[in-house]
Amino acid sequence: MGVLNRYEAGVCYYPEHWKETLWEDDLRRMLANGIKTVRVAEFAWSIFERTEGAYDFSFFARFLDLCARVGMKVILGTPSATPPAWLTEKYPETRNADASGHLYAHGGRRHYNYNSPIYRQKTGQLVQKMAEAYGHHPAVVGWQIDNELNCETADFLSEADTLAFRSFLKKNYGTLDALNEAWGTVFWSQTYTAWEKIFVPRQNAVSAHNPSLMLDYVRFVSESAISFCAMQAQIIRACAAPGQFITTNGMFGHLDNVRMSRDVLDVYMYDSYPDFWYGVDQTWKKEELHDRNASLALTRVRSICRHFGIMEQQSGGNGWYNRMEAPMPRPGQLELWAMQSVAHGADYISFFRWRTSPVGTEIYWHGILDYDNHDNRRLREVRKFTEHLEKIQEICGADTDARFAVLTNPDNLFDAEVDHWHARVENASQQGIFEAAQALHVTYDLLDIRDDTSVETLCAYPLVIVPHFVITTHEMAECLKAYAQQGGTVVIGCRTGYKDRHGTCPMRPMPGDFREMTGTAVDEYSFASPAEKEATGKWGDEEIPAACFMESLKAEEGTEILARYTTGYLKGEPLLTLRQNGKGKVLHFGSTFSKSAAMCLLRRAGLAEPYAGDVQVPESMEAVGRVKNGKRYLFILNYLPESQQFEAKRPVYDLLGQETLEGTVTVPGYGVCVLRI
Ligand code: GAL
């Protein structure tokens, strides 16, 4: 993970939740089961500063000394996610506000705002003192800043946020005239005549706020979170021993995680709860792939940091006292989910949490051990996992054997958080491409591109899909064009290029900046009507669905029409085109990438089943490829309770079983097989 060059396991531990007499036994049991690192203190502000200014670092000093004595490494959390009651009461302006402007009450967590000067000051002072007290302690290997930035809520609507938002806008636009022009405030008489008239989108507007204001507000929240994180990181870096890494955990909205990771952190960590996809007593849609869907989130994490850590890996059944989320992992599932993280690029796996809390909101958020503290099945599974990690150490640091990339971009991610039309097509395609790649066992990357992304970055992949870059720029278009000219294949989807960076729609044909390379112009477009059957097209002999959205494409001279609509009101019109660009080509697909459309595309690009010469894996198991020093590895994961089989077509080496396999191989229910092929 940039700081560890071996696979290692850890656990989240809360010394403040237990009698001190339990600590040593806990630490020794962890070590005996292969857990070598603990993350602590991320919610312990009132232990460090029980009343204002009364700093006391003795409690965690005793814990750290014990860790050093028994040989346990420690990641220290900064506790800014849970300000103590004295702070929120004395300085109400440090609190975040809800949409109607009411300040959040004390009692939960993350009720502060990033822009309150006094909150920054109080946090900075505590972090400084923590870094002085523990920054050279031999047990400390790293720091986690805050906990899950933008979790609980990603909206920041306090007075301090409004003031900071105005400064952010002044810096970006210079003049009100420029802002009015960019935001199109002429619409509905929204023209601003003074900066003081601009607010964060607090009062729920009768209908909706100006979309350009919303887009800039999301960028502003992201900047606020990053600068709050950077403020803490700077203090720690100036004070702590070199070599201690800085991270944070989680992946939440309104946050440019790529930039935060690149500019502020040494390594990025994620919290993986694969069975958090449906609430037991809620009406959430049960996704078809259930826990296997976590692989999509992990692919996104890899786009933020290629070798990341898992700070919280699900180890028990989940819920709060007021929410039910997930049953206990069945035998095998705990290890399966941990291996899913490893397969997708995690080099550090820390379970949440050592023992289930007997007090507080999370009494049902089960950890490895239950309240009664006896050695249980889940602990045995952790032990098995840590033993297995040792057997696959040679894979640590391997690259993903990615056969194509799906491009993402912060402006487009943010716009999709604001614009429901954008979100609908984007989510449909992200899920469709993921399901297609899963079915065809193709490992792929999500790749973040910006105006300064080099062509070489793209050249690592033979094909890139740019599902729905609603916002395009000239720079991105030039980069993609150059990539195609050097031999790459670019595939773009519907809704490309109809907005600018402000989220407004310039008068020009779609796909905007990408038009020159596609050699197309969108003629008609519409969402699929729920009253109609979904449209389809024909690509050669194959039927290809045009799900969710339909565009008819006018092909310019030199652009070939590959598929036309065969049903729906666009029947007979072009649905898919191809234009040669130098040595490569650019395809324009006027719809979203449903699972079958993406499968069709991947098959025709010759990318399906890349390991077919080595192993034949059924669709119902995941296969994740990794490469290191010219060697290829394959993780085969069975998410079903019953055993499944794959065919080894030639001898392959099973790293966990430490034997060579050939012919029919059985993977037990919830089992994992790690092959060198
Ligand atoms: C995570 C969080 C943990 C714990 C867990 C269970 O999101 O980081 O502190 O709260 O969820 O709710």
Side-chain angles (χ1 to χ4, degrees), residues 14 39 42-43 109 147-148 151-152 249 252 271 273 312 318-320 323 352 362 365:
Y14 297 88
R39 182 218 38 198
E42 82 278 13
F43 299 125
R109 61 177 172 182
N147 189 75
E148 297 192 331
C151 176
E152 317 294 355
N249 60 329
F252 295 90
D271 299 340
Y273 293 97
E312 299 179 14
N318 290 166
W320 285 4
R323 298 181 354 208
F352 188 85
E362 298 189 345
W365 205 280

Side-chain angles (χ1 to χ4, degrees), residues 86-101:
W86 62 257
L87 196 154
T88 32
E89 288 313 310
K90 179 164 177 198
Y91 304 105
E93 70 272 32
T94 61
R95 294 191 232 167
N96 190 5
D98 68 14
S100 53

Side-chain angles (χ1 to χ4, degrees), residues 10-24 26-27 30 35 37-48 59-60 62-64 66-67 72-82 109 144 146-148 152 249 271 273 310-313 315 320 348 350-363 365-369 373:
V11 79
C12 302
Y13 187 63
Y14 297 88
E16 69 276 27
H17 294 180
W18 313 106
K19 290 208 176 74
E20 247 180 90
T21 48
L22 252 185
W23 291 356
E24 182 157 352
D26 281 340
L27 294 176
M30 290 172 197
I35 291 171
T37 305
V38 288
R39 182 218 38 198
V40 298
E42 82 278 13
F43 299 125
W45 193 324
S46 51
I47 302 271
F48 297 120
F59 181 90
F60 276 93
R62 288 198 299 282
F63 179 74
L64 291 177
L66 173 63
C67 287
M72 179 66 78
K73 293 181 274 190
V74 178
I75 299 170
L76 270 178
T78 68
S80 46
T82 46
R109 61 177 172 182
Q144 171 189 302
D146 203 286
N147 189 75
E148 297 192 331
E152 317 294 355
N249 60 329
D271 299 340
Y273 293 97
I310 299 291
M311 190 60 94
E312 299 179 14
Q313 177 74 52
S315 67
W320 285 4
Y348 172 68
S350 165
F351 292 97
F352 188 85
R353 45 186 277 161
W354 173 242
R355 191 168 36 240
T356 312
S357 179
V359 293
T361 306
E362 298 189 345
I363 51 177
W365 205 280
H366 291 83
I368 300 169
L369 298 177
N373 200 28

Side-chain angles (χ1 to χ4, degrees), residues 10-228:
V11 79
C12 302
Y13 187 63
Y14 297 88
E16 69 276 27
H17 294 180
W18 313 106
K19 290 208 176 74
E20 247 180 90
T21 48
L22 252 185
W23 291 356
E24 182 157 352
D25 183 53
D26 281 340
L27 294 176
R28 290 196 187 281
R29 274 167 91 200
M30 290 172 197
L31 289 166
N33 286 287
I35 291 171
K36 296 185 176 148
T37 305
V38 288
R39 182 218 38 198
V40 298
E42 82 278 13
F43 299 125
W45 193 324
S46 51
I47 302 271
F48 297 120
E49 194 180 1
R50 196 179 174 84
T51 55
E52 188 169 11
Y55 295 108
D56 182 352
F57 295 95
S58 60
F59 181 90
F60 276 93
R62 288 198 299 282
F63 179 74
L64 291 177
D65 289 349
L66 173 63
C67 287
R69 183 153 62 75
V70 301
M72 179 66 78
K73 293 181 274 190
V74 178
I75 299 170
L76 270 178
T78 68
S80 46
T82 46
W86 62 257
L87 196 154
T88 32
E89 288 313 310
K90 179 164 177 198
Y91 304 105
E93 70 272 32
T94 61
R95 294 191 232 167
N96 190 5
D98 68 14
S100 53
H102 292 125
L103 297 181
Y104 286 113
H106 190 84
R109 61 177 172 182
R110 305 204 51 74
H111 44 279
Y112 70 94
N113 71 70
Y114 297 124
N115 286 304
S116 151
I118 184 77
Y119 198 68
R120 283 188 171 235
Q121 188 196 330
K122 290 282 160 199
T123 300
Q125 279 166 355
L126 176 58
V127 172
Q128 174 76 43
K129 295 211 176 290
M130 282 180 76
E132 284 165 7
Y134 308 131
H136 289 267
H137 195 286
V140 177
V141 292
W143 296 76
Q144 171 189 302
I145 290 176
D146 203 286
N147 189 75
E148 297 192 331
L149 296 164
N150 287 5
C151 176
E152 317 294 355
T153 178
D155 279 313
F156 291 85
L157 302 168
S158 71
E159 277 309 304
D161 293 310
T162 282
L163 295 177
F165 187 41
R166 289 176 190 152
S167 307
F168 171 85
L169 295 172
K170 270 186 211 160
K171 196 166 135 231
N172 285 349
Y173 290 102
T175 66
L176 269 182
D177 284 348
L179 177 141
N180 280 318
E181 176 69 22
W183 284 8
T185 53
V186 64
F187 187 79
W188 284 356
S189 251
Q190 288 167 346
T191 305
Y192 292 104
T193 50
W195 294 102
E196 291 66 40
K197 307 245 180 311
I198 303 176
F199 295 85
V200 286
R202 186 158 75 187
Q203 301 299 335
N204 278 324
V206 171
S207 42
H209 286 282
N210 177 304
S212 304
L213 176 149
M214 292 301 292
L215 184 55
D216 271 336
Y217 160 74
V218 172
R219 291 186 179 118
F220 159 75
V221 171
S222 175
E223 285 306 304
S224 302
I226 293 173
S227 80
F228 183 70

Side-chain angles (χ1 to χ4, degrees), residues 616-636:
Q616 202 174 340
V617 182
E619 183 172 336
S620 47
M621 286 201 279
E622 181 177 22
V624 188
R626 305 288 298 273
V627 264
K628 185 176 170 186
N629 302 332
K631 287 192 192 127
R632 285 192 297 138
Y633 300 90
L634 203 57
F635 287 74
I636 299 177

Side-chain angles (χ1 to χ4, degrees), residues 548-574:
C548 187
F549 204 90
M550 295 166 276
E551 286 177 353
S552 63
L553 310 174
K554 268 198 297 194
E556 287 160 10
E557 210 187 316
T559 302
E560 193 187 332
I561 296 168
L562 296 181
R564 290 179 183 273
Y565 288 91
T566 46
T567 65
Y569 87 113
L570 294 176
K571 190 170 172 182
E573 296 295 321

